[in-house]
């Protein structure tokens, strides 16, 4: 009994540690006073002001555009790559997987400056294009790492069965393999999207004047004090993402329950 | 399946944007501009071994190590609690470790500032309780706290994913052979969870040692870490050659430690986080 | 001291709504080889886990030499288990696996060395001390698991389908080996299996279970020759079960014909199940049989032919070394001794 209570208390404290700053952020987005130290009463004015701030709106635009575009492209290239890697022999697979792990394991700052050097070297002006390329680059490996385990779980005979029944390799891939690995593809895409939205370090080095995402704006504001408008925006984004997550989660739960019922 | 060809766009992409950039960094790190053009040198590497910079490295390693150990001490019991929770609670508990990542990490770190400041919430609470106030903003303590805060999930999740896979019958077998709860933990659970601990350790230690944001925000810039040093070389000092040399050293450090990780962790494909 | 080393008294085990065990009562004598037999989900593994201490009964008593141990944790019981998939510790070598129990007891090193050696020679794996678990075959892992349990000199060894993962040939070998070890060490074995042949070969006593309930306890011969109900008859060996009516003691009617039998004590005109083993039906010429039927199918099984003969609306399965071709009219003879009469199960389950 005591044991159980201790466990609960411990979990509670750890989760409190994780969520306290987030709660503070959300609470202060409703703070009438501009200073982060004191509470000046409840207000929604930051939520209104938010949409009139062209700097924040432009950063939001770039953040979302880059996140959506880069995660779509990374998912396409990454899924194809995962299927390709799966059909390679051991030696080839090892080489490609080691390549895949480099950006995952490497320090963001090293990835960031190496890309910056490349872009400057080939005289590609730093801006939207370079930002997008950088995001695609660090996203693809995560898609591959999400899709590969699903491919491994596949019954090897599945693809052969499709061919045996007269499907062409492309048809079999499209109608049999892709649907089977869909959960992995979706996980990969979501992961890529999240990483892209949250990235600061690599974006910081690979973007140029005029193109800033939210992280960069927040970083540049941090020393002077972050405007409550940013709190408001983050709260909105956080809640959006959270509710999306719960919708997806409850749907998959329902699906798995349905499966259990059948069994 | 013989569709190897469809991996080629990826391979080309990775050569263009991962391999070539690293080679460029490498070439910057071993050259200097002489009158006759570029010339080979190791002076940038030598320069790093100046006590001034070595101290930066030691300082970064110290902070990163302390943070990693704190993450381990806090995270291991948490991972165990989750792994032992009923199945239907488990996913939720894991999810709650991932959700904070959906809030911009700069903002979350910044939010600690409002908690830690001299007139911040924690001190207000302490004053209310008539306790002495803390003054940790812009100190090493704040940096460590920021690191632990940001990287704790990277410790908990890999350990959890190993713990949850441990065959329950192994635990029962040990009990059956006479081991009590603490003996089961020391002789079975702990050794079997070591791969998770190692991958957690590396996944926390690596980003901790190279971060420049946490130290910049919470450390107030007076405590330069390796990450800040690299950033300075590229953005303010303009010494790309030296900056590249440090980056290459970091890369080597990271590759070495991932080698250690792949040796201990049997399934190489799942680094264990996702 | 009592002869019973383990005794279950009115043991029930519920997992939430699910009733895994209902009112289990049985005893195990010292040095007996007892088998819990039943289809998957019948509660046999749960019974074993209750004795091992991994689960605790919802109600009832588990006696070990007349002391209730129902709430004792596994590490305080003089019982050891060989797990279904062996549960060998993957991070230890063979030596450390076998020595585990003794190390926990803090026995001195040289004694442990000696005992591990003895155990390895008992299971025919001398010199395997330093081998890693991954490098062993299924059969070898199985032996190590047995050695690891036996080194603790348990009074009772529990074996949870230990042969399930082995191929047929290895399985037969291990059956003999297990029996040899049991007889040599004089330890009580409680063995769980769903394989009736395995149970018949190895056991002194078989406990047949179904849906969490006890069906029959007896020696292999009892269980095979005198099954108590249609389920046991069907599960142990093959048989034909037909509906019959008991006219009076020693007289039963089925398939439109009256037969002499050896059973008595049924009500007048009581509906019963009649069970006949396929090897107990003799095939004769169509004019010599008590029943007449037509051969529906013939399959060659190696030692004998398996024939299905249709007589009236009933199908009889027959094992015979002589073959009658499909379509032929044959006569069937059944001795009174070979007709087993069983009470109908009063409450049919929902299925």
């Amino acid at each position: 009994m005591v044991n159980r209570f201790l466990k609960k208390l411990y979990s509670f404290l750890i989760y409190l540690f994780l969520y306290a700053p987030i709660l503070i952020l959300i609470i202060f987005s409703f703070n009438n006073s501009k200073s982060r130290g004191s509470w000046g009463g409840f207000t929604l004015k930051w939520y209104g002001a938010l949409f009139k701030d062209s700097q924040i709106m432009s950063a939001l635009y770039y953040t979302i555009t880059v996140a959506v575009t880069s995660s779509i492209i990374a998912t396409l290239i990454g899924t194809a790559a995962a299927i390709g890697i799966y059909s390679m022999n051991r030696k080839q697979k090892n080489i490609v997987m080691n390549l895949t792990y480099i950006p995952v394991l490497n320090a963001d700052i090293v990835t960031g400056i190496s890309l910056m050097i490349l872009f400057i070297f080939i005289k590609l002006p730093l801006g939207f294009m370079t930002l997008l390329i950088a995001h695609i680059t660090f996203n693809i490996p995560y898609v591959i790492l999400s899709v590969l385990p699903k491919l491994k779980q596949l019954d090897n005979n599945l693809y052969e069965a499709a061919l045996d029944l007269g499907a062409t390799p492309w048809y079999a891939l499209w109608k049999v393999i892709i649907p089977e690995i869909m959960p992995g593809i979706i996980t990969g895409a979501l992961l890529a999207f999240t990483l892209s939205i949250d990235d600061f370090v690599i974006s910081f080095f690979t973007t140029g004047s005029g193109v800033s995402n939210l992280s960069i704006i927040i970083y540049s504001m941090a020393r002077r004090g972050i405007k409550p408008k940013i709190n408001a925006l983050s709260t909105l984004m956080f809640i959006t993402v959270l509710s999306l997550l719960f919708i997806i989660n409850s749907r998959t739960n329902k699906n798995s329950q349905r499966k259990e019922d059948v069994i | 399946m013989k569709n190897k060809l469809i991996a080629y766009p990826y391979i080309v992409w990775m050569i263009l944007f991962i391999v070539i950039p690293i080679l460029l960094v490498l070439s910057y790190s071993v050259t200097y501009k002489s009158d006759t053009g570029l010339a080979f040198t190791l002076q940038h590497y030598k320069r790093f071994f100046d006590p001034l910079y070595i101290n930066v490295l030691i300082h970064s390693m110290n902070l990163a190590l302390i943070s990693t150990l704190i993450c381990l001490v806090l995270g291991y019991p948490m991972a165990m609690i989750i792994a032992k929770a009923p199945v239907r609670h488990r996913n939720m508990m894991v999810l709650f470790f991932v959700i904070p990542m959906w809030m911009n990490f700069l903002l979350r770190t910044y939010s600690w500032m409002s908690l830690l400041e001299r007139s911040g919430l924690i001190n207000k609470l302490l004053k209310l309780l008539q306790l002495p106030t803390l003054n940790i903003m812009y100190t090493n303590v704040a940096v460590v706290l920021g690191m632990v805060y940001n990287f704790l999930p990277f410790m908990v999740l890999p350990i959890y994913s190993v713990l949850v896979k441990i065959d329950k019958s192994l635990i029962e077998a040990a009990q059956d052979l006479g081991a009590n709860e603490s003996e089961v933990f020391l002789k079975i659970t702990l050794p079997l969870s070591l791969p998770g601990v190692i991958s957690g350790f590396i996944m926390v230690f690596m980003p901790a040692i190279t971060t420049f944001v946490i130290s910049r925000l919470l450390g107030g810039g007076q405590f330069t870490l390796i990450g800040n040093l690299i950033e300075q070389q590229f953005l303010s000092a303009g010494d790309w050659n030296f900056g590249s040399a440090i980056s290459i050293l970091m890369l080597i450090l990271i590759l070495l430690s991932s080698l250690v990780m792949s040796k201990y962790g049997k399934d190489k494909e799942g680094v264990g986080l996702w | 001291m009592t002869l019973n080393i383990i005794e279950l008294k009115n043991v029930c085990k519920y997992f939430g709504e699910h009733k895994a065990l209902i009112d289990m009562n049985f005893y195990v004598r010292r040095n007996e080889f007892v088998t819990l037999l039943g289809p998957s989900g019948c509660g046999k593994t749960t019974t074993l886990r209750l004795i091992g201490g991994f689960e605790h009964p919802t109600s009832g008593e588990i006696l070990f030499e007349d002391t209730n141990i129902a709430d004792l944790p596994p590490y305080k019981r003089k019982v050891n288990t060989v797990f279904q998939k062996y549960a060998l510790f993957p991070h230890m070598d063979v030596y450390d696996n076998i020595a585990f129990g003794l190390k926990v007891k803090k026995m001195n090193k040289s004694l442990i060395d000696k005992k591990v050696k003895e155990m390895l020679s008992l299971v025919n794996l001398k010199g395997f001390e330093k081998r890693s678990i991954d490098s062993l075959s299924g059969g070898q892992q199985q032996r190590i698991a047995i050695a690891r349990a036996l080194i603790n000199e348990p009074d009772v060894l529990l074996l949870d389908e230990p042969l399930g993962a082995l191929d047929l040939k290895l399985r037969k070998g291990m059956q003999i080996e297990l029996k040899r070890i049991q007889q040599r060490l004089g330890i009580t074995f409680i063995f769980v299996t769903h394989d009736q042949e395995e149970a018949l070969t190895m056991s002194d006593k078989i406990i047949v279970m179904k849906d969490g309930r006890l069906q029959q306890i007896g020696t292999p011969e009892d269980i095979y020759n005198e099954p108590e109900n249609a389920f046991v008859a069907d599960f142990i060996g093959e048989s034909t079960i037909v509906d019959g009516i008991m006219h009076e003691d020693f007289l039963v009617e089925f398939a439109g014909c009256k037969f002499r039998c050896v059973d008595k004590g049924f009500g007048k005109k009581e509906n019963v199940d009649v069970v006949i083993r396929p090897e107990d039906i003799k095939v004769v010429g169509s004019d010599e049989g008590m029943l007449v039927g037509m051969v529906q199918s013939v399959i060659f099984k190696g030692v004998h032919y398996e024939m299905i003969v249709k007589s009236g609306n009933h199908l009889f399965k027959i094992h015979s070394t002589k073959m009658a071709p499909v379509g032929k009219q044959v006569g069937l003879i059944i001795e009174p001794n070979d007709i087993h009469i069983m009470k109908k199960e009063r409450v049919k389950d929902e299925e």
Side-chain angles (χ1 to χ4, degrees), chain A residues 29-59:
Chain A
S29 73
F30 299 109
N31 185 6
N32 203 4
S33 153
K34 210 169 180 177
S35 103
R36 63 174 188 241
S38 54
W39 179 251
F42 179 85
T43 179
L44 284 174
K45 69 177 173 190
W46 306 118
Y47 286 83
L50 173 64
F51 296 96
K52 294 185 196 111
D53 188 318
S54 64
Q55 194 196 10
I56 292 178
M57 281 296 112
S58 129

mmCIF file of all heavy atoms in Angstrom, chain A residues 29-59:
data_model
loop_
_atom_site.group_PDB
_atom_site.id
_atom_site.type_symbol
_atom_site.label_atom_id
_atom_site.label_comp_id
_atom_site.label_asym_id
_atom_site.label_seq_id
_atom_site.Cartn_x
_atom_site.Cartn_y
_atom_site.Cartn_z
ATOM 1 N N SER A 29 -0.178 33.356 -20.806
ATOM 2 C CA SER A 29 -0.738 33.854 -22.058
ATOM 3 C C SER A 29 -2.054 34.601 -21.797
ATOM 4 O O SER A 29 -2.547 35.313 -22.656
ATOM 5 C CB SER A 29 -0.965 32.696 -23.037
ATOM 6 O OG SER A 29 -2.068 31.925 -22.636
ATOM 7 N N PHE A 30 -2.594 34.418 -20.592
ATOM 8 C CA PHE A 30 -3.823 35.134 -20.216
ATOM 9 C C PHE A 30 -3.530 36.286 -19.252
ATOM 10 O O PHE A 30 -4.424 36.819 -18.631
ATOM 11 C CB PHE A 30 -4.811 34.172 -19.538
ATOM 12 C CG PHE A 30 -5.229 33.033 -20.423
ATOM 13 C CD1 PHE A 30 -4.786 31.742 -20.180
ATOM 14 C CD2 PHE A 30 -6.077 33.258 -21.510
ATOM 15 C CE1 PHE A 30 -5.166 30.703 -20.995
ATOM 16 C CE2 PHE A 30 -6.467 32.208 -22.321
ATOM 17 C CZ PHE A 30 -6.009 30.929 -22.069
ATOM 18 N N ASN A 31 -2.259 36.633 -19.118
ATOM 19 C CA ASN A 31 -1.866 37.631 -18.131
ATOM 20 C C ASN A 31 -1.997 39.035 -18.717
ATOM 21 O O ASN A 31 -1.444 39.344 -19.769
ATOM 22 C CB ASN A 31 -0.420 37.358 -17.703
ATOM 23 C CG ASN A 31 0.025 38.282 -16.586
ATOM 24 O OD1 ASN A 31 -0.782 39.049 -16.052
ATOM 25 N ND2 ASN A 31 1.295 38.204 -16.248
ATOM 26 N N ASN A 32 -2.689 39.878 -17.993
ATOM 27 C CA ASN A 32 -2.909 41.241 -18.466
ATOM 28 C C ASN A 32 -1.631 42.067 -18.391
ATOM 29 O O ASN A 32 -1.413 42.994 -19.161
ATOM 30 C CB ASN A 32 -4.017 41.887 -17.635
ATOM 31 C CG ASN A 32 -4.654 43.023 -18.404
ATOM 32 O OD1 ASN A 32 -4.301 43.258 -19.555
ATOM 33 N ND2 ASN A 32 -5.571 43.722 -17.777
ATOM 34 N N SER A 33 -0.772 41.708 -17.427
ATOM 35 C CA SER A 33 0.474 42.465 -17.287
ATOM 36 C C SER A 33 1.503 41.916 -18.274
ATOM 37 O O SER A 33 1.525 40.734 -18.584
ATOM 38 C CB SER A 33 0.993 42.327 -15.858
ATOM 39 O OG SER A 33 2.389 42.469 -15.840
ATOM 40 N N LYS A 34 2.356 42.819 -18.747
ATOM 41 C CA LYS A 34 3.311 42.409 -19.750
ATOM 42 C C LYS A 34 4.510 41.688 -19.128
ATOM 43 O O LYS A 34 5.179 40.899 -19.788
ATOM 44 C CB LYS A 34 3.786 43.647 -20.514
ATOM 45 C CG LYS A 34 4.156 43.333 -21.949
ATOM 46 C CD LYS A 34 4.370 44.601 -22.740
ATOM 47 C CE LYS A 34 4.743 44.259 -24.168
ATOM 48 N NZ LYS A 34 4.901 45.439 -24.984
ATOM 49 N N SER A 35 4.778 41.967 -17.866
ATOM 50 C CA SER A 35 5.964 41.366 -17.262
ATOM 51 C C SER A 35 5.646 39.935 -16.878
ATOM 52 O O SER A 35 4.519 39.596 -16.506
ATOM 53 C CB SER A 35 6.397 42.148 -16.022
ATOM 54 O OG SER A 35 6.019 41.466 -14.860
ATOM 55 N N ARG A 36 6.661 39.074 -16.961
ATOM 56 C CA ARG A 36 6.403 37.669 -16.699
ATOM 57 C C ARG A 36 6.435 37.381 -15.207
ATOM 58 O O ARG A 36 6.172 36.273 -14.777
ATOM 59 C CB ARG A 36 7.407 36.794 -17.429
ATOM 60 C CG ARG A 36 8.828 37.003 -16.978
ATOM 61 C CD ARG A 36 9.747 36.000 -17.645
ATOM 62 N NE ARG A 36 11.070 36.120 -17.023
ATOM 63 C CZ ARG A 36 12.153 36.462 -17.697
ATOM 64 N NH1 ARG A 36 12.119 36.732 -18.972
ATOM 65 N NH2 ARG A 36 13.309 36.523 -17.064
ATOM 66 N N GLY A 37 6.792 38.406 -14.415
ATOM 67 C CA GLY A 37 6.909 38.189 -12.976
ATOM 68 C C GLY A 37 5.590 38.330 -12.241
ATOM 69 O O GLY A 37 5.359 37.684 -11.227
ATOM 70 N N SER A 38 4.717 39.167 -12.756
ATOM 71 C CA SER A 38 3.534 39.450 -11.944
ATOM 72 C C SER A 38 2.253 39.199 -12.713
ATOM 73 O O SER A 38 2.215 39.254 -13.942
ATOM 74 C CB SER A 38 3.575 40.913 -11.493
ATOM 75 O OG SER A 38 3.736 41.741 -12.635
ATOM 76 N N TRP A 39 1.216 38.967 -11.995
ATOM 77 C CA TRP A 39 -0.085 38.655 -12.562
ATOM 78 C C TRP A 39 -0.936 39.912 -12.578
ATOM 79 O O TRP A 39 -1.149 40.534 -11.541
ATOM 80 C CB TRP A 39 -0.757 37.556 -11.731
ATOM 81 C CG TRP A 39 -2.119 37.168 -12.216
ATOM 82 C CD1 TRP A 39 -3.298 37.437 -11.614
ATOM 83 C CD2 TRP A 39 -2.425 36.463 -13.401
ATOM 84 N NE1 TRP A 39 -4.332 36.934 -12.358
ATOM 85 C CE2 TRP A 39 -3.814 36.327 -13.470
ATOM 86 C CE3 TRP A 39 -1.651 35.929 -14.453
ATOM 87 C CZ2 TRP A 39 -4.460 35.691 -14.519
ATOM 88 C CZ3 TRP A 39 -2.296 35.291 -15.488
ATOM 89 C CH2 TRP A 39 -3.694 35.164 -15.514
ATOM 90 N N GLY A 40 -1.383 40.296 -13.757
ATOM 91 C CA GLY A 40 -2.141 41.545 -13.850
ATOM 92 C C GLY A 40 -3.586 41.332 -14.211
ATOM 93 O O GLY A 40 -4.229 42.212 -14.754
ATOM 94 N N GLY A 41 -4.112 40.163 -13.910
ATOM 95 C CA GLY A 41 -5.518 39.893 -14.219
ATOM 96 C C GLY A 41 -5.652 39.154 -15.541
ATOM 97 O O GLY A 41 -4.724 39.105 -16.358
ATOM 98 N N PHE A 42 -6.859 38.589 -15.725
ATOM 99 C CA PHE A 42 -7.106 37.750 -16.893
ATOM 100 C C PHE A 42 -7.412 38.598 -18.130
ATOM 101 O O PHE A 42 -8.096 39.595 -18.065
ATOM 102 C CB PHE A 42 -8.292 36.833 -16.587
ATOM 103 C CG PHE A 42 -8.643 35.932 -17.732
ATOM 104 C CD1 PHE A 42 -7.975 34.727 -17.901
ATOM 105 C CD2 PHE A 42 -9.630 36.295 -18.645
ATOM 106 C CE1 PHE A 42 -8.296 33.882 -18.948
ATOM 107 C CE2 PHE A 42 -9.938 35.452 -19.700
ATOM 108 C CZ PHE A 42 -9.273 34.251 -19.846
ATOM 109 N N THR A 43 -6.852 38.182 -19.258
ATOM 110 C CA THR A 43 -7.153 38.885 -20.490
ATOM 111 C C THR A 43 -7.027 37.933 -21.668
ATOM 112 O O THR A 43 -6.324 36.919 -21.583
ATOM 113 C CB THR A 43 -6.209 40.068 -20.704
ATOM 114 O OG1 THR A 43 -6.553 40.690 -21.939
ATOM 115 C CG2 THR A 43 -4.766 39.604 -20.797
ATOM 116 N N LEU A 44 -7.700 38.281 -22.736
ATOM 117 C CA LEU A 44 -7.525 37.516 -23.972
ATOM 118 C C LEU A 44 -6.850 38.374 -25.021
ATOM 119 O O LEU A 44 -6.751 37.991 -26.181
ATOM 120 C CB LEU A 44 -8.886 37.021 -24.485
ATOM 121 C CG LEU A 44 -9.492 35.829 -23.749
ATOM 122 C CD1 LEU A 44 -10.894 35.556 -24.263
ATOM 123 C CD2 LEU A 44 -8.623 34.595 -23.885
ATOM 124 N N LYS A 45 -6.349 39.553 -24.583
ATOM 125 C CA LYS A 45 -5.898 40.526 -25.581
ATOM 126 C C LYS A 45 -4.711 40.023 -26.399
ATOM 127 O O LYS A 45 -4.563 40.357 -27.556
ATOM 128 C CB LYS A 45 -5.569 41.859 -24.919
ATOM 129 C CG LYS A 45 -4.330 41.855 -24.027
ATOM 130 C CD LYS A 45 -4.057 43.241 -23.492
ATOM 131 C CE LYS A 45 -2.924 43.200 -22.464
ATOM 132 N NZ LYS A 45 -2.772 44.441 -21.737
ATOM 133 N N TRP A 46 -3.861 39.179 -25.789
ATOM 134 C CA TRP A 46 -2.688 38.693 -26.534
ATOM 135 C C TRP A 46 -3.121 37.813 -27.690
ATOM 136 O O TRP A 46 -2.462 37.788 -28.718
ATOM 137 C CB TRP A 46 -1.746 37.935 -25.604
ATOM 138 C CG TRP A 46 -1.344 38.746 -24.397
ATOM 139 C CD1 TRP A 46 -1.594 38.458 -23.098
ATOM 140 C CD2 TRP A 46 -0.652 40.004 -24.404
ATOM 141 N NE1 TRP A 46 -1.108 39.439 -22.285
ATOM 142 C CE2 TRP A 46 -0.521 40.403 -23.049
ATOM 143 C CE3 TRP A 46 -0.146 40.848 -25.396
ATOM 144 C CZ2 TRP A 46 0.093 41.589 -22.665
ATOM 145 C CZ3 TRP A 46 0.478 42.025 -25.013
ATOM 146 C CH2 TRP A 46 0.594 42.396 -23.674
ATOM 147 N N TYR A 47 -4.241 37.120 -27.477
ATOM 148 C CA TYR A 47 -4.720 36.257 -28.557
ATOM 149 C C TYR A 47 -5.195 37.099 -29.736
ATOM 150 O O TYR A 47 -5.034 36.715 -30.888
ATOM 151 C CB TYR A 47 -5.833 35.343 -28.049
ATOM 152 C CG TYR A 47 -5.298 34.235 -27.166
ATOM 153 C CD1 TYR A 47 -5.041 34.470 -25.816
ATOM 154 C CD2 TYR A 47 -5.011 32.995 -27.688
ATOM 155 C CE1 TYR A 47 -4.519 33.470 -25.013
ATOM 156 C CE2 TYR A 47 -4.495 31.992 -26.884
ATOM 157 C CZ TYR A 47 -4.254 32.238 -25.543
ATOM 158 O OH TYR A 47 -3.731 31.247 -24.749
ATOM 159 N N GLY A 48 -5.756 38.287 -29.436
ATOM 160 C CA GLY A 48 -6.180 39.173 -30.510
ATOM 161 C C GLY A 48 -4.975 39.826 -31.178
ATOM 162 O O GLY A 48 -4.859 39.843 -32.415
ATOM 163 N N ALA A 49 -4.064 40.298 -30.321
ATOM 164 C CA ALA A 49 -2.903 41.023 -30.838
ATOM 165 C C ALA A 49 -2.030 40.137 -31.711
ATOM 166 O O ALA A 49 -1.396 40.591 -32.662
ATOM 167 C CB ALA A 49 -2.086 41.579 -29.680
ATOM 168 N N LEU A 50 -2.044 38.879 -31.358
ATOM 169 C CA LEU A 50 -1.233 37.887 -32.057
ATOM 170 C C LEU A 50 -1.389 37.969 -33.567
ATOM 171 O O LEU A 50 -0.413 38.020 -34.318
ATOM 172 C CB LEU A 50 -1.677 36.512 -31.547
ATOM 173 C CG LEU A 50 -1.135 35.271 -32.205
ATOM 174 C CD1 LEU A 50 0.356 35.188 -31.997
ATOM 175 C CD2 LEU A 50 -1.823 34.065 -31.596
ATOM 176 N N PHE A 51 -2.667 38.045 -34.001
ATOM 177 C CA PHE A 51 -2.920 37.973 -35.428
ATOM 178 C C PHE A 51 -2.588 39.260 -36.162
ATOM 179 O O PHE A 51 -2.607 39.317 -37.375
ATOM 180 C CB PHE A 51 -4.375 37.544 -35.666
ATOM 181 C CG PHE A 51 -4.634 36.160 -35.140
ATOM 182 C CD1 PHE A 51 -5.190 35.959 -33.881
ATOM 183 C CD2 PHE A 51 -4.277 35.045 -35.892
ATOM 184 C CE1 PHE A 51 -5.395 34.684 -33.389
ATOM 185 C CE2 PHE A 51 -4.484 33.772 -35.411
ATOM 186 C CZ PHE A 51 -5.041 33.580 -34.153
ATOM 187 N N LYS A 52 -2.325 40.321 -35.384
ATOM 188 C CA LYS A 52 -1.970 41.585 -36.036
ATOM 189 C C LYS A 52 -0.462 41.777 -36.094
ATOM 190 O O LYS A 52 0.023 42.729 -36.679
ATOM 191 C CB LYS A 52 -2.621 42.743 -35.274
ATOM 192 C CG LYS A 52 -4.122 42.714 -35.357
ATOM 193 C CD LYS A 52 -4.731 43.939 -34.687
ATOM 194 C CE LYS A 52 -6.215 43.716 -34.433
ATOM 195 N NZ LYS A 52 -6.500 43.585 -32.980
ATOM 196 N N ASP A 53 0.273 40.860 -35.455
ATOM 197 C CA ASP A 53 1.731 40.994 -35.439
ATOM 198 C C ASP A 53 2.300 40.345 -36.697
ATOM 199 O O ASP A 53 2.324 39.128 -36.817
ATOM 200 C CB ASP A 53 2.280 40.316 -34.181
ATOM 201 C CG ASP A 53 3.764 40.591 -34.008
ATOM 202 O OD1 ASP A 53 4.494 40.534 -35.023
ATOM 203 O OD2 ASP A 53 4.186 40.853 -32.872
ATOM 204 N N SER A 54 2.756 41.169 -37.632
ATOM 205 C CA SER A 54 3.162 40.610 -38.920
ATOM 206 C C SER A 54 4.418 39.747 -38.789
ATOM 207 O O SER A 54 4.573 38.765 -39.506
ATOM 208 C CB SER A 54 3.405 41.734 -39.931
ATOM 209 O OG SER A 54 4.477 42.528 -39.491
ATOM 210 N N GLN A 55 5.289 40.103 -37.833
ATOM 211 C CA GLN A 55 6.509 39.314 -37.660
ATOM 212 C C GLN A 55 6.166 37.887 -37.210
ATOM 213 O O GLN A 55 6.649 36.906 -37.780
ATOM 214 C CB GLN A 55 7.395 39.996 -36.609
ATOM 215 C CG GLN A 55 8.807 39.456 -36.597
ATOM 216 C CD GLN A 55 9.547 39.860 -35.316
ATOM 217 O OE1 GLN A 55 8.968 40.381 -34.368
ATOM 218 N NE2 GLN A 55 10.850 39.634 -35.318
ATOM 219 N N ILE A 56 5.287 37.806 -36.209
ATOM 220 C CA ILE A 56 4.898 36.490 -35.705
ATOM 221 C C ILE A 56 4.128 35.711 -36.767
ATOM 222 O O ILE A 56 4.359 34.522 -36.994
ATOM 223 C CB ILE A 56 4.045 36.627 -34.421
ATOM 224 C CG1 ILE A 56 4.919 37.165 -33.298
ATOM 225 C CG2 ILE A 56 3.428 35.294 -34.033
ATOM 226 C CD1 ILE A 56 4.185 37.394 -31.997
ATOM 227 N N MET A 57 3.222 36.409 -37.472
ATOM 228 C CA MET A 57 2.430 35.733 -38.500
ATOM 229 C C MET A 57 3.331 35.180 -39.597
ATOM 230 O O MET A 57 3.113 34.066 -40.093
ATOM 231 C CB MET A 57 1.401 36.706 -39.098
ATOM 232 C CG MET A 57 0.183 36.898 -38.214
ATOM 233 S SD MET A 57 -0.747 35.368 -38.023
ATOM 234 C CE MET A 57 -0.506 34.989 -36.339
ATOM 235 N N SER A 58 4.336 35.941 -39.961
ATOM 236 C CA SER A 58 5.227 35.454 -41.017
ATOM 237 C C SER A 58 6.032 34.254 -40.515
ATOM 238 O O SER A 58 6.227 33.278 -41.244
ATOM 239 C CB SER A 58 6.128 36.598 -41.504
ATOM 240 O OG SER A 58 7.470 36.224 -41.498
ATOM 241 N N ALA A 59 6.479 34.324 -39.254
ATOM 242 C CA ALA A 59 7.216 33.183 -38.693
ATOM 243 C C ALA A 59 6.332 31.948 -38.633
ATOM 244 O O ALA A 59 6.767 30.838 -38.953
ATOM 245 C CB ALA A 59 7.736 33.524 -37.304
#
